[in-house]
Amino acid sequence: MPRFSVIVPVFKVQGFLGECLDSVLGQSYDDFEVIAVDDCSPDGCGAILDEYAARDPRLRVLHLPENVGLGRARNAGMPYATGDYLFFLDSDDTLTPGALGAIAERLAETRDPDVLVFDYARTYWWGGTRRNVLARVLAEAGAGTFTAADHPEILDLLMVVWNKVYRRGYVTAHNLSFPPGYYEDTPWTFPALLSAGRIAALDRICLNYRQRRQGNILSTTSRKHFDIHDQYERVFAYVDARPELARWRPFLHRKMGEHCLDILAKPDRLPPSDKGEFFDRTAELFRRYRTDEPVPAQLRVLQGGYAGYRARERAAALRRTLGRQRKRARAAASGRVKRGWAGAHALRPLDPELAVYSAFTHRGVLGDPAAVYRAARELAPHIRGVWVVRQDQVEHLPPDIEYVLPGTLDYHRLTARAMYFVNNVNWPGSLVKRPGSVHVHTHRGAPLKYQGADLLDRPGARYGVDVPGMLRRADRWDYSLVASRHAELAWERAYPCRFASVRTGSPRNDVLVGARPGDGAAFRARHGIPGDSTVVLYAPTRRDHVRGGHTERLDLARFAADLGPDRTLVVRLHPSLAQGPARALGLAELHRRGVLVDATDEPRAEEVMLASDALVTDYSSLMFDYATLDRPIVVHADDWDTFTAARGTYLDITADAPGHVTHSQRELSELFASGAWRDAESARRRAGFRARYCEFEDGQAARRVVRTLLLGEPDTRISIPAPATGERGTAGVARGH
């Protein structure tokens, strides 16, 4: 008996069917059967199904003699199911890699609940991806099982059949089946969840819900949307036949009203001439099933007539229009005030004892700017340091940090008078560089991938990037910090501006150069990593040729298992992927289960590196920083040709690698199993890499920046060229080459 019976109803999806079937049959977890129901599809779907079935015995095909619709096609497949759990997959959707394995793990963990609810992502025809906006409901459900009464928020999720799996014995015992109609999921999902004695949640994206440009049934303008009323009648009939579910009638009464009004408000659902009739039918049902509970304010319109509803909608539209106009007027007035305030302060002299810092688009006290700030507090305490920080990051700041919010009057006042600006990201275009001010740009690591002007001939990589605007903002730089001659040449090529390169080293890497045993102990303790465990850090970069930037390069669960029990896998995604769906494709769930540690949210990358014993990366610039630790590095280059064609690189990292290079997951796992990841050849390559790309790293970079660029002291190790143009402020700098 297989663990899963995946039932796939098929009708007029020949362009998507192969992708759907491949996503199931290609799962690493293989204890399943697929029952594909050809709902008398008039296109080539039947032949496609037969071809797949001939190649894979796990697929069984049913050809229906006539078209019966989505729900009844699912019903036709259920008698043939032998699996423990039923999974209803629509034939234009796809499973994410590792989805069935993750679901199976969660079912075992929760001892076979009646229903398991998992997360999904909407994937759009133009390539975009958006995670379920209510994903937090799954995270908040906890590690155990619950009922709908215990966690009623579960009913706020999209009430569809395909974001859940159902224990087949539970479905049979409750005689659940799909009725005909457009909204057949409604009278299935409400009964299934309300009657379930044990529900579990999986906070992981297991399914890609395809948003088709055309052909989506529910987005078709038709009178068939009147079907929603019949489906809710079925839901109420189910509840009324079961006294133990009577408590849910007020909830279902509200849900019905909200659902029907939502359909009515959609411009593409109902023919305009039928909207009045739809409203009247909804209002009649709303009155018939009314309970003693007070009617919510937003549903009281159903107690009146269609004319009242129309008047309310017109008033709401007018309020929205007026609100947008008022917002634009306030923003314009605020901008005039702030510009006037800043202009007034720009008439005053620069403050030679004021420095403004920012890092990673105002995300906090981080990176190179933070290292410079800390050194300045020690070596130049008379220079006041103020950070520009986003509102949502203020709570994470140390208590003694002085900060301003971007765009506020205080921000404009300080930036109008500051002598020094230290940032690893370009300042906004609205910031005007005053003559005499000193802008220090630290960058965010040594460049491997093309940057700046080098993106001009890479249309995929520069999509959405205003390269000319980027260069105009870089024209404000006075100094560019570099850790090697490689970085110096690459930055000067990428940003053909007027700055002077300064061979200081990377300030944030000072702690890596001077690393001592135990420096990463706090990170290990925070994540429950034993002190004697070998920590392998995996840090993949984004892919510009993939919309959203994320692609699964490794099966993380398998890699963690291959590493063995005495090693811990720590994963740190690229910062640009931290808030997207990438972590919900398995990383967050593996972290919760203790399979690995997700360190993406750790604010200080240096601390994560200090806690690790080896780095596995593809093409992340983190390898240049990590090399200063003199610890093993493995470059996993399974798509190097594609990556270089899309983004472009300043060197061939597969030929000039800081360690061994692997081209498949099997090679990578075998490298660690054999111990070759830290052999003499690895050390030899790493030494050569450090000599070429970390040549100015000596652990004194932050102090050197403060002494030379803020205090004007000479440094015998380097000479600092004067900027090509621009008057210097009162703090002098060493001149000449």
Side-chain angles (χ1 to χ4, degrees):
M1 180 187 298
R3 190 59 164 158
F4 299 107
S5 292
V6 184
I7 298 176
V8 186
V10 178
F11 182 73
K12 292 181 69 173
V13 288
Q14 64 178 8
F16 308 117
L17 182 56
E19 187 179 359
C20 172
L21 296 174
D22 289 341
S23 76
V24 181
L25 300 174
Q27 291 282 307
S28 55
Y29 181 91
D30 62 1
D31 188 13
F32 64 85
E33 63 181 1
V34 181
I35 302 166
V37 183
D38 173 16
D39 192 15
C40 201
S41 186
D43 57 6
C45 286
I48 293 172
L49 291 174
D50 290 339
E51 289 173 9
Y52 270 83
R55 298 197 302 264
D56 197 316
R58 294 173 297 178
L59 173 61
R60 177 173 186 171
V61 181
L62 305 179
H63 295 283
L64 300 184
E66 61 180 0
N67 177 251
V68 297
L70 182 59
R72 286 185 288 182
R74 290 169 178 156
N75 290 341
M78 278 196 281
Y80 297 91
T82 62
D84 297 330
Y85 280 84
L86 302 178
F87 190 147
F88 298 100
L89 176 66
D90 286 355
S91 50
D92 55 351
D93 296 337
T94 57
L95 297 186
T96 61
L100 289 183
I103 294 172
E105 289 274 2
R106 186 73 175 120
L107 291 173
E109 185 180 47
T110 52
R111 302 191 312 279
D112 287 5
D114 297 327
V115 182
L116 175 86
V117 188
F118 53 79
D119 202 8
Y120 66 92
R122 295 176 186 266
T123 57
Y124 295 88
W125 61 270
W126 42 267
T129 301
R130 182 167 64 89
R131 189 181 185 185
N132 166 27
V133 295
L134 292 177
R136 59 170 180 77
V137 171
L138 298 171
E140 294 166 358
T145 59
F146 54 91
T147 65
D150 298 329
H151 189 51
E153 294 81 5
I154 201 72
L155 300 173
D156 291 329
L157 296 174
L158 194 62
M159 294 301 285
V160 290
V161 68
W162 43 255
N163 62 350
K164 308 169 185 73
V165 295
Y166 311 84
R167 188 167 56 81
R168 186 164 60 90
Y170 168 70
V171 170
T172 302
H174 285 76
N175 198 29
L176 296 177
S177 64
F178 294 92
Y182 251 27
Y183 292 88
E184 75 290 327
D185 283 7
T186 300
W188 170 285
T189 50
F190 277 118
L193 289 176
L194 296 180
S195 294
R198 299 176 64 245
I199 303 171
L202 174 59
D203 182 22
R204 183 195 194 277
I205 295 175
C206 295
L207 181 140
N208 289 317
Y209 173 34
R210 189 186 300 274
Q211 304 294 285
R212 291 160 65 178
R213 185 168 179 268
Q214 295 177 346
N216 187 334
I217 295 175
L218 293 183
S219 295
T220 303
T221 303
S222 168
R223 279 188 61 87
K224 291 183 179 180
H225 293 282
F226 278 76
D227 173 68
I228 189 64
H229 303 123
D230 293 337
Q231 304 298 6
Y232 271 102
E233 296 248 39
R234 291 186 172 99
V235 174
F236 279 107
Y238 181 90
V239 170
D240 289 344
R242 293 162 177 79
E244 70 274 13
L245 299 181
R247 57 167 295 182
W248 290 106
R249 288 188 92 255
F251 172 84
L252 292 169
H253 180 253
R254 175 172 60 84
K255 278 289 184 182
M256 178 187 68
E258 292 173 348
H259 196 168
C260 292
L261 285 179
D262 181 63
I263 293 171
L264 185 60
K266 292 285 195 299
D268 58 352
R269 298 293 172 88
L270 293 161
S273 59
D274 294 325
K275 288 192 172 185
E277 181 185 349
F278 185 90
F279 177 90
D280 292 340
R281 172 67 171 144
T282 299
E284 188 274 324
L285 279 182
F286 196 72
R287 287 191 295 271
R288 191 196 319 164
Y289 290 107
R290 182 172 178 178
T291 67
D292 293 333
E293 296 288 330
V295 176
Q298 70 273 19
L299 298 180
R300 290 173 192 162
V301 67
L302 289 171
Q303 295 174 314
Y306 183 59
Y309 168 80
R310 289 282 295 152
R312 191 193 75 161
E313 291 299 292
R314 286 194 294 267
L318 179 59
R319 285 195 299 272
R320 288 192 296 269
T321 300
L322 292 175
R324 287 192 295 267
Q325 292 174 348
R326 285 194 295 269
K327 185 176 180 180
R328 286 195 294 266
R330 285 195 299 268
S334 175
R336 287 193 296 271
V337 170
K338 290 173 183 176
R339 286 192 297 271
W341 184 280
H345 279 274
L347 298 176
R348 299 175 62 188
L350 292 175
D351 184 346
E353 297 185 353
L354 176 61
V356 179
Y357 296 84
S358 180
F360 300 104
T361 316
H362 315 320
R363 277 179 38 219
V365 184
L366 303 168
D368 290 303
V372 174
Y373 170 78
R374 288 190 289 268
R377 293 185 70 170
E378 175 191 350
L379 301 176
H382 62 284
I383 297 180
R384 174 188 171 202
V386 182
W387 282 83
V388 182
V389 181
R390 296 189 330 229
Q391 178 69 66
D392 62 336
Q393 297 298 318
V394 168
E395 62 180 301
H396 306 299
L397 293 177
D400 59 342
I401 296 296
E402 184 178 358
Y403 69 91
V404 293
L405 301 178
T408 61
L409 290 175
D410 282 343
Y411 166 83
H412 287 286
R413 176 174 57 83
L414 286 168
T415 55
R417 295 204 59 211
M419 175 69 76
Y420 306 103
F421 291 81
V422 183
N423 201 343
N424 65 359
V425 178
N426 258 324
W427 292 98
S430 58
L431 191 153
V432 177
K433 184 183 190 310
R434 292 184 62 185
S437 62
V438 178
H439 282 237
V440 178
H441 193 77
T442 69
H443 303 286
R444 289 173 291 172
L448 171 62
K449 301 169 284 192
Y450 275 3
Q451 307 283 342
D454 289 323
L455 296 177
L456 288 172
D457 64 348
R458 303 282 169 166
R462 68 177 174 87
Y463 177 77
V465 178
D466 177 10
V467 174
M470 182 187 297
L471 298 182
R472 285 193 298 271
R473 291 188 290 275
D475 281 334
R476 296 173 299 193
W477 302 353
D478 291 303
Y479 298 110
S480 165
L481 307 187
V482 299
S484 66
R485 277 171 283 193
H486 157 75
E488 182 175 332
L489 293 174
W491 291 131
E492 291 184 4
R493 167 180 156 171
Y495 294 97
C497 303
R498 296 185 294 270
F499 61 81
S501 296
V502 188
R503 299 175 176 180
T504 57
S506 298
R508 71 185 181 284
N509 288 345
D510 290 345
V511 297
L512 304 182
V513 176
R516 297 165 298 180
D519 276 354
F523 174 90
R524 287 181 174 236
R526 194 158 59 246
H527 293 282
I529 301 174
D532 59 350
S533 179
T534 298
V535 174
V536 177
L537 171 60
Y538 174 53
T541 194
R542 64 176 289 116
R543 298 300 194 276
D544 295 292
H545 59 278
V546 177
R547 187 176 291 276
H550 178 71
T551 178
E552 293 281 347
R553 307 310 312 171
L554 293 178
D555 181 334
L556 295 176
R558 194 177 87 190
F559 183 42
D562 290 346
L563 287 175
D566 58 340
R567 294 172 182 160
T568 301
L569 178 61
V570 174
V571 180
R572 184 177 177 85
L573 296 180
H574 189 276
S576 67
L577 303 174
Q579 302 305 317
R583 297 165 78 180
L585 288 167
L587 180 57
E589 173 64 10
L590 294 174
H591 174 83
R592 187 194 65 79
R593 283 170 34 209
V595 174
L596 51 75
V597 173
D598 177 8
T600 304
D601 283 339
E602 287 287 338
R604 299 185 63 232
E606 309 91 87
E607 187 178 12
V608 182
M609 289 188 277
L610 285 167
S612 67
D613 299 292
L615 170 69
V616 176
T617 186
D618 36 35
Y619 324 117
S620 171
S621 64
L622 199 71
M623 72 178 78
F624 295 94
D625 305 314
Y626 200 86
T628 62
L629 279 169
D630 197 20
R631 297 176 187 176
I633 301 173
V634 177
V635 175
H636 185 60
D638 65 331
D639 66 341
W640 174 248
D641 291 341
T642 301
F643 184 85
T644 52
R647 178 65 186 248
T649 61
Y650 293 109
L651 67 144
D652 183 351
I653 199 62
T654 64
D656 197 8
H660 289 290
V661 179
T662 59
H663 299 90
S664 69
Q665 178 151 356
R666 180 178 178 180
E667 279 186 29
L668 180 63
S669 294
E670 289 176 350
L671 186 73
F672 277 90
S674 68
W677 60 280
R678 56 181 175 183
D679 63 8
E681 176 63 13
S682 171
R684 185 190 68 78
R685 295 186 185 188
R686 186 167 69 253
F689 188 87
R690 291 179 65 207
R692 288 186 295 277
Y693 302 113
C694 308
E695 58 183 317
F696 304 142
E697 303 279 29
D698 65 353
Q700 298 297 313
R703 300 173 68 86
R704 184 172 295 113
V705 170
V706 174
R707 291 189 183 281
T708 57
L709 300 186
L710 274 63
L711 297 178
E713 297 178 6
D715 189 311
T716 56
R717 181 179 178 275
I718 61 171
S719 60
I720 303 173
T725 62
E727 178 187 352
R728 291 274 54 81
T730 56
V733 294
R735 306 284 186 174
H737 292 273

